[in-house]
Structure formats: C-alpha cells, structure tokens
C-alpha cells in the first residue's frame, strides 16, 4: 500500500518477528526495511544485477541466518548496513539506500531532506 507523504512507513513492532518488511514509498517505489542487530535500514526493492524484486515471498528479504539480505533470484548477498553485495553476480555493487529515521514512538519515517 502506497503511503501518503509524511505518513510513517512502518512501526518497529512490525519488524519484531520477521526482521524485514516490504513497503511502498509515497512516490510509488517498492522498498523494504530490515532490522539486523537492532539497526534499521531501508533500500529500494530492486537487485542491482537484474533490476528484479529481491524477495520471492512477501517480506522475506533475509537469508536463513537473518544476517544478510538475499536476492531470491540468484542468491546474491548484501550487507544490511550498507547494501553492498558481498556474494553473487553483482559483487561490489550496492542496493539503493533509502534514508530513514525512527521517532521516539518507534515510527519509521523517510528522513527529512
């Protein structure tokens, strides 16, 4: 569901069980949030190798250990802190980061430009 401008993208509670959540930005781009080791990051939901969405199932962006972002199409692995590909055909390239902020109530917002 597309979020209106200024509306929160999600709440940290939504990342409690799965540690990842697909969202739609106000401009219509598909994106996702990941929470690894307490840090929340956001990226466009597009693999830099083929431009395809990363997940095969909704909200499944992390590999089995929950430490790395994984592209379901070809298994490329990305660091959740930076989006850098550390394994696979796009090694050395990065996911497109989305600047976010988390307020005192746990609401995740696009960062103010």
């Amino acid at each position: 569901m597309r979020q209106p401008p200024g509306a929160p993208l999600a709440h940290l509670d939504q990342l409690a069980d799965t540690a990842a959540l697909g969202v739609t930005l106000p401009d219509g781009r598909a994106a996702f949030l990941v929470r690894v080791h307490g840090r929340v990051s956001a990226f466009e939901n597009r693999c830099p190798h083929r431009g395809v969405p990363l997940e095969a199932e909704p909200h499944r962006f992390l590999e089995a250990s929950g430490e790395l972002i994984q592209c379901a199409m070809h298994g490329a692995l990305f660091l959740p802190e930076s989006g850098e590909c550390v394994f696979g055909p796009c090694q050395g390239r990065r996911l497109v980061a989305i600047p976010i902020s988390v307020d005192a109530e746990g609401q995740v917002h696009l960062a103010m430009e």
Side-chain angles (χ1 to χ4, degrees):
M1 179 173 81
R2 181 184 269 191
Q3 299 296 326
L9 297 174
H11 191 278
L12 290 179
D13 289 346
Q14 294 173 274
L15 295 167
D17 294 330
T18 64
L21 180 69
V23 297
T24 302
L25 301 177
D27 64 8
R29 287 180 293 160
F32 65 98
L33 305 171
V34 293
R35 186 179 199 176
V36 177
H37 301 296
R39 181 176 177 197
V40 179
S41 302
F43 300 97
E44 284 187 16
N45 185 4
R46 189 178 74 237
C47 181
H49 178 231
R50 295 276 187 211
V52 298
L54 292 165
E55 87 282 24
E57 298 176 33
H59 313 300
R60 303 277 295 199
F61 294 93
L62 299 174
E63 45 76 49
S65 75
E67 298 285 320
L68 298 169
I69 299 164
Q70 183 173 37
C71 177
M73 177 179 247
H74 49 64
L77 297 173
F78 303 87
L79 297 174
E81 302 84 9
S82 65
E84 179 184 357
C85 181
V86 294
F87 175 81
C90 49
Q91 194 164 352
R93 296 174 70 190
R94 294 179 185 272
L95 299 172
V96 175
I98 306 292
I100 56 168
S101 63
V102 180
D103 67 21
E105 288 80 39
Q107 299 283 357
V108 180
H109 297 269
L110 289 175
M112 300 305 279
E113 309 251 341

